[in-house]
Amino acid sequence: EERYSLSIVSGEDGARLSHSHERQYYFALQSLTLWRDIIDDMFRLWAMAEEDLLSESVTYSLQDTGQGMQRVQQCPRTYKAMQKILTRVQSKVNHWVGSSVIHMRGHNVPNALSFIDKYTQVPRILNPIVSCLENLEKICEKDEGIRQMVDDGFGGLEKVRKDILYDFFKSAFDGSGADNFYDAGSCIDGRMTSAWNWCSQLQEKPFYPIFKLTGFVGFDGEFK
């Protein structure tokens, strides 16, 4: 559809990846599919993470990772479980776009607990967006004045909802959030970094007032 191309070019609007519309569509779709499967398997991942953390055969060392002193430790059980999830997701999608590298035991994900914590943030990213889209429709149905404001200022309910989703699918999966491809980019963990980067810039988006109107208070609090 005109004006809603998901194509991105590295170096433009903060993007660090270059994708055609189709490639970006699949990149966002497979990222969200992966997050869903990780959350669905979180209890098993948590069990594997505890075994890794308490393992007597895998030692750890305290290192300054740039985010303070961290317990840096290999997590073979968690890594193997994550590999299985990734392989399962790759078999579901038409074709895999981007890197399949899973970073563990590094300065960004020093141990299994850090990995688990990273992916428990997925609902904190997605729930406020879903709440905004759902609550806006309810508010417009109840208040004619707000509906008129949405029509005059944002082109109508359907257009502003499409604008929000378009911006998220395009800019939250563009490899942004760091200045190197280890911390961000198309790798498994880099996709999460880009999404958090989008969240940090929400107040600069033209549709930010719509989020506030529907009860948004932040990505780290209660979701109405």
Side-chain angles (χ1 to χ4, degrees):
E1 184 178 345
E2 189 177 357
R3 291 187 61 254
Y4 289 100
S5 172
L6 296 175
S7 62
I8 56 176
V9 178
S10 180
E12 294 185 5
D13 300 322
R16 299 187 64 251
L17 301 173
S18 294
H19 288 161
S20 65
H21 173 84
E22 181 181 11
R23 190 172 178 83
Q24 179 67 5
Y25 168 81
Y26 281 112
F27 185 68
L29 175 63
Q30 68 188 210
S31 300
L32 292 168
T33 303
L34 177 63
W35 293 355
R36 181 197 63 193
D37 280 34
I38 291 174
I39 296 302
D40 286 346
D41 216 5
M42 185 57 73
F43 287 113
R44 184 170 70 94
L45 287 170
W46 197 286
M48 296 297 99
E50 287 190 342
E51 290 187 24
D52 282 333
L53 287 168
L54 301 176
S55 173
E56 296 181 356
S57 61
V58 181
T59 59
Y60 70 89
S61 61
L62 288 176
Q63 298 180 22
D64 187 350
T65 63
Q67 303 178 58
M69 296 299 293
Q70 300 287 337
R71 173 176 173 154
V72 179
Q73 181 183 24
Q74 291 184 346
C75 30
R77 297 174 181 83
T78 310
Y79 184 83
K80 184 177 181 180
M82 183 61 188
Q83 282 282 13
K84 289 182 177 179
I85 295 173
L86 177 59
T87 300
R88 185 172 69 236
V89 171
Q90 288 176 327
S91 68
K92 292 179 181 178
V93 298
N94 291 338
H95 58 277
W96 188 256
V97 177
S99 171
S100 299
V101 174
I102 302 170
H103 293 299
M104 289 191 189
R105 195 186 179 275
H107 67 279
N108 285 329
V109 188
N111 54 58
L113 181 60
S114 298
F115 170 82
I116 291 295
D117 180 68
K118 192 179 184 90
Y119 284 95
T120 56
Q121 306 305 311
V122 169
R124 294 190 176 277
I125 294 174
L126 300 181
N127 281 351
I129 300 172
V130 174
S131 295
C132 174
L133 298 176
E134 292 181 345
N135 290 338
L136 180 60
E137 183 173 6
K138 296 176 183 178
I139 293 174
C140 286
E141 289 176 352
K142 293 180 180 179
D143 194 311
E144 183 60 33
I146 291 180
R147 171 176 284 278
Q148 190 64 49
M149 183 272 291
V150 172
D151 288 343
D152 295 342
F154 298 92
L157 176 61
E158 290 307 312
K159 182 179 183 300
V160 71
R161 293 174 71 178
K162 186 183 293 186
D163 287 345
I164 292 171
L165 291 173
Y166 162 70
D167 192 86
F168 179 71
F169 292 143
K170 182 175 182 177
S171 301
F173 301 93
D174 62 358
S176 60
D179 59 1
N180 63 81
F181 283 105
Y182 186 87
D183 296 338
S186 66
C187 65
I188 301 305
D189 302 295
R191 301 163 194 242
M192 181 73 72
T193 302
S194 297
W196 268 124
N197 188 57
W198 183 89
C199 295
S200 72
Q201 299 174 347
L202 179 62
Q203 69 274 13
E204 302 171 8
K205 305 290 184 180
F207 45 75
Y208 180 61
I210 295 296
F211 273 77
K212 299 298 291 182
L213 182 67
T214 55
F216 173 78
V217 294
F219 288 99
D220 194 23
E222 295 183 0
F223 312 125
K224 299 179 181 180

